[in-house]
Amino acid sequence: MFEKSTWIRLPRNVVVGHEVLGRTLEVVDDVHLSGRPLLVTSPTPRELAADPIAAQFEERGIDPLVVTVETASFDAVEEVIAEAEAGDAAYLVGVGGGKPIDIAKMASDHLGMGFLSVPTAASHDGIVSNRGSVPDGDTRHSVAAEPPLAVVADTGILANAPWELTTAGCADIISNYTAVMDWRLANRLKNVEYSEYAAALAEMTAEILVDNADLIRPGIEESAWIVTKALMSSGVAMSIAGSSRPASGAEHLFSHQLDRLVPGAALHGHQVGVGAIMTAYLHGGDRGIWTDIRDALASIDAPTTADELGIDADTVVEALSTCHAIRDRYTILGDGMEEEAARQVARQTGVI
Ligand SMILES: NC(=O)C1=CN([C@@H]2O[C@H](COP(=O)(O)OP(=O)(O)OC[C@H]3O[C@@H](n4cnc5c(N)ncnc54)[C@H](O)[C@@H]3O)[C@@H](O)[C@H]2O)C=CC1
Ligand SMILES: O=C(CO)COP(=O)(O)O
Ligand SMILES: [Zn+2]
């Protein structure tokens, strides 16, 4: 008997483009949200986007609640939940980079409320996905959470964000290549559930981004458009898969381990990009696509070496040789790399 079922949770409206921030209330209406919103933001995005959105609500006679968070933590999630309950909020709006959006996502999951994602930086694919990532003890990877009901991505704001945030978003997309290789391997070796649709979408997204790498330049709104659409597409792949597998393999394990060893040393996307160079090498050796990945990263100004990440060689080797154990996710790292083998890979690929 056929007993399979799937439940794909996607944003209902995705609005990307020039000055779309000014249309936030139209989006709110279109997804039938009403009542008092709670805007969750961080200091710079507050000025750039949350205050202008708050002004739109005020013009309509609605007094929005605003919480400014500084760090991604469960204390911040609790604070948002408490503010929402005390202020009778009806829904949440996450405005900023990954941190406020993740906090809004996790809080809305807990409160059973809808939420909107308003990214001000195209820094990774969490800005649209149904995954939330808040450090929990030793855990750094994402967990299932509420997907946004809608995304409002203003390309003018995104194009003016610090360039390294955009290159981090690009690198997060480029890492889909190795994530999908790991996923296929895990499917073949461990019978891990696999979706060809999600895998193909994740790979195609990386390919389109790499093909358009020449158009991705600082301060250009069309660049923000290309990167944001890719992040959306990658988020959809994760939603189809019902896991982060299409966009997260061993290169992400490596990055999560760096987050534990040297918190805040480099951006998520930059770390996974360097991880992807090394894990692509592990998949294919000298004939593999690791040089293509390295060159694609270099072409969009993303780091390709430990030095460029600002992380020392020993830490890179430690992260690569220990990260297999941090999560139950089978990858090319198998049951772990010997430290000397990890050092060789990092040397062969020019990472150290
Ligand atoms: N949910 C998920 O699947 C994922 C979540 N993450 C999480 O996301 C977080 C990292 O994301 P980020 O966006 O790097 O963090 P973030 O929210 O801290 O933003 C980085 C910095 O950029 C600034 N910023 C944002 N937009 C700006 C703009 N337009 N102009 C000037 N400055 C601007 C912020 O004020 C902040 O200082 C981490 O907590 C990480 O764990 C990372 C990957 C996936
Ligand atoms: O960053 C992500 C995909 O790009 C999410 O992956 P994780 O589940 O490994 O946190
Ligand atoms: Zn990522």
Side-chain angles (χ1 to χ4, degrees), residues 136-194:
D136 184 12
D138 267 349
T139 304
R140 293 292 176 276
H141 59 73
S142 68
V143 296
E146 193 69 17
L149 284 172
V151 183
V152 179
D154 189 310
T155 44
I157 294 176
L158 297 166
N160 285 318
W163 173 233
E164 64 269 20
L165 294 175
T166 309
T167 64
C170 291
D172 203 21
I173 298 296
I174 290 170
S175 81
N176 287 2
Y177 282 122
T178 45
V180 171
M181 287 193 244
D182 280 325
W183 196 13
R184 291 206 173 105
L185 183 76
N187 172 253
R188 291 187 193 123
L189 260 62
K190 302 288 177 186
N191 202 30
V192 163
E193 198 173 339
Y194 173 75

Side-chain angles (χ1 to χ4, degrees), residues 98 119-120 132 146 161 173 181 213 223 229 253 258 315 322 347 350:
T120 60
E146 193 69 17
I173 298 296
M181 287 193 244
S223 303
K229 298 254 284 200
L253 296 178
L258 287 178
T315 305
T322 57
R347 283 200 181 123

Side-chain angles (χ1 to χ4, degrees), residues 24 51-52 58 71 121 174 200 236 254 256 290 298 308 310 314-315 345:
T24 306
D51 287 345
E58 280 154 12
T71 50
I174 290 170
V236 169
F254 169 73
H256 299 321
W290 74 270
E308 286 170 5
D314 285 346
T315 305
V345 170

